[in-house]
Amino acid sequence: MAAVTLKDVAERAGVSIKTVSNVVRDAPRVSEATRKRVLKAVHELGYRPNPSARRLRTGHSGLIGLAVPDLATPYFAELAQHVRAEAAQLGLTVLIEETLGDATEELRLATGVGASLLDGVILSPLRVSPDELAAVANEFPLVLLGERSYERDQVGADHVLIDNVAAARDATAHLAGLGRTRIAAIGVDQQASATSRQRLEGFQLALHEAGVTYDPRLAPAIKEFDRRNGLLAMRALAALPAGVRPDAVFCFSDLLAVGAQRALFEVGLSIPDDVAVASIDGSDEALYSTPSLTSVAPDKTAIASLAVKCLAARIRSDVPLPFEVHTAPHWLHARESTNGGRQQLFP
């Protein structure tokens, strides 16, 4: 069966081929009625733009990449959905890559190697070093997500993030505000990642402001930000003597918190009566866990919008643009894991 062409769509919609091209490229100066008619024909015929042909005509394929460490992590899966939605608004298609935190793979994607049709990449780096990124950032349109562990001008790329120190501080201050004085931290990773360092900094800052002494025994080292490590860390904390055992725990991710809640259930400690639990990510997993999890939620819509718009501007500009750092907002959602009781999710 022959592929559907622009001409086929134009004949079905009763417009010119140029008009169909304008609609497919999301160009301005097309009336809404015409746009709807063309899109209806595109849907009915199953037309798919040819990236190679588009690149020959415009110099751009309309394809961008999103590279994240782990798509099994709810935060990244949800963020990917937002990025795809924002890209669609600009007429862009997103190809999603999973790096599994491999530095070589992150560097490969940051330079567009092996993805010749991509116009640019949004990358959430985990292991690649700032020096390696700095060496390649100017070679290919690139926007970085997540924590920065370098000076503003060290890496020539736009960066979209949240204030991790402030987010961790907010979560910990919430626990301290409940009168908890033995507050543990789960998320001090053995790799000393930027995420871990910044969230530990916010945790310690909130403790200091609340007049609570930081106890290293209440901050066990972990390997990964996943459920299993949250479970193992909380088991160790729950086994501490009664005068040391935490009455609250701040987890550096929702997955760690879900694992911690499971460990508390296993040993018969009540949430939040015995141990209050808070975390960061604002994922659906936090909302639907039992009890529902108090979590700091980064504005994923804002993160996706800023990242896609920065990348699109850099792709479409004929002149070099200044690199910018954008900080998206975050909010604390207090739920059953700190407030107690039973709350109806959608009253």
Side-chain angles (χ1 to χ4, degrees):
M1 183 176 178
V4 178
T5 66
L6 285 176
K7 181 179 179 182
D8 297 327
V9 177
E11 291 176 351
R12 173 66 68 93
V15 298
S16 68
I17 293 176
K18 181 174 178 57
T19 297
V20 174
S21 177
N22 287 339
V23 171
V24 170
R25 292 186 295 108
D26 200 27
R29 299 178 184 176
V30 178
S31 72
E32 190 59 27
T34 299
R35 187 180 301 277
K36 288 181 178 179
R37 193 161 72 250
V38 170
L39 291 177
K40 183 173 183 289
V42 166
H43 177 72
E44 291 173 348
L45 295 174
Y47 172 73
R48 296 290 181 270
N50 184 322
S52 298
R54 177 174 177 174
R55 170 159 280 191
L56 287 173
R57 293 194 309 271
T58 68
H60 303 303
S61 67
L63 300 176
I64 62 173
L66 170 66
V68 298
D70 183 7
L71 281 169
T73 300
Y75 174 82
F76 289 118
E78 293 169 19
L79 181 62
Q81 291 179 326
H82 288 289
V83 169
R84 289 181 63 183
E86 292 294 331
Q89 295 295 318
L90 298 180
L92 299 171
T93 299
V94 182
L95 300 181
I96 300 174
E97 294 276 358
E98 187 178 45
T99 66
L100 300 178
D102 180 79
T104 301
E105 184 68 2
E106 290 173 351
L107 189 62
R108 181 183 72 85
L109 290 166
T111 58
V113 174
S116 58
L117 283 178
L118 293 181
D119 292 330
V121 168
I122 299 169
L123 170 67
S124 180
L126 194 62
R127 299 281 185 262
V128 65
S129 72
D131 288 340
E132 289 174 313
L133 281 176
V136 302
N138 289 318
E139 299 177 6
F140 187 64
L142 177 68
V143 174
L144 300 176
L145 301 179
E147 293 67 46
R148 281 192 309 137
S149 57
Y150 52 85
E151 297 300 320
R152 182 186 182 98
D153 297 327
Q154 183 180 353
V155 177
D158 294 314
H159 205 131
V160 181
L161 43 74
I162 67 164
D163 187 336
N164 258 294
V165 174
R169 179 184 180 184
D170 290 346
T172 309
H174 174 68
L175 294 171
L178 300 173
R180 309 300 171 115
T181 57
R182 300 188 305 278
I183 306 175
I186 296 179
V188 180
D189 67 32
Q190 296 173 351
Q191 293 81 21
S193 67
T195 302
S196 180
R197 294 197 310 272
Q198 292 172 16
R199 294 182 181 180
L200 179 61
E201 180 183 346
F203 171 75
Q204 293 174 319
L205 179 60
L207 291 184
H208 176 74
E209 292 171 341
V212 176
T213 301
Y214 172 68
D215 186 343
R217 292 175 296 177
L218 299 183
I222 63 165
K223 294 181 179 179
E224 301 289 345
F225 279 30
D226 59 17
R227 300 174 186 87
R228 176 176 173 79
N229 276 272
L231 173 81
L232 296 176
M234 192 68 243
R235 280 179 180 170
L237 290 168
L240 292 171
V244 180
R245 189 176 65 204
D247 57 10
V249 59
F250 164 54
C251 298
F252 292 10
S253 76
D254 285 352
L255 289 186
L256 287 171
V258 169
Q261 289 190 145
R262 174 65 196 183
L264 291 169
F265 171 78
E266 288 178 352
V267 298
L269 291 173
S270 173
I271 305 170
D273 295 339
D274 296 321
V275 182
V277 182
S279 65
I280 294 182
D281 274 350
S283 66
D284 279 350
E285 185 147 356
L287 181 63
Y288 287 97
S289 69
T290 303
S292 58
L293 178 61
T294 291
S295 182
V296 174
D299 188 336
K300 300 181 190 73
T301 300
I303 292 171
S305 179
L306 287 166
V308 171
K309 288 176 180 176
C310 284
L311 188 63
R314 198 159 294 285
I315 290 168
R316 294 169 179 173
S317 178
D318 294 327
V319 297
L321 299 175
F323 299 109
E324 298 182 354
V325 176
H326 300 274
T327 303
H330 64 268
W331 299 275
L332 174 73
H333 295 294
R335 301 192 179 103
E336 294 163 346
S337 68
T338 58
N339 288 349
R342 297 187 180 185
Q343 302 169 8
Q344 187 175 0
L345 290 184
F346 304 109

